[in-house]
Amino acid sequence: MSYDERRGGGGGGGYRGGGGGGRGPSGPRESHEAVCSKCGKQTTVPFKPTEGRPVYCRDCFSSMPRDR
């Protein structure tokens, strides 16, 4: 038995499978129409907006300060 066989395979670092990110099937993303809470521009977002929570367009979202 070789060293690689004892480790569990052909040199993949001992991990099974590999990357993938865990996002599920890679089909077309569902997008929803929304109005930006900051500038009022029509936009699409990759999630279903929840009433009472703000939604921002790409420009307004990227210009917001990040909390860290």
Side-chain angles (χ1 to χ4, degrees):
M1 181 181 275
S2 73
Y3 176 73
D4 283 339
E5 288 172 332
R6 286 192 306 263
R7 279 189 3 187
Y15 293 104
R16 293 181 192 217
R23 290 189 192 159
S26 60
R29 272 213 163 140
E30 188 175 340
S31 60
H32 300 272
E33 296 283 321
V35 176
C36 177
S37 299
K38 189 172 181 182
C39 72
K41 185 168 70 171
Q42 188 75 26
T43 188
T44 57
V45 292
F47 57 88
K48 186 170 177 148
T50 304
E51 191 173 330
R53 298 198 63 183
V55 174
Y56 301 103
C57 67
R58 183 181 301 266
D59 295 333
C60 290
F61 185 78
S62 65
S63 69
M64 297 179 76
R66 295 189 179 207
D67 290 338
R68 282 219 157 190

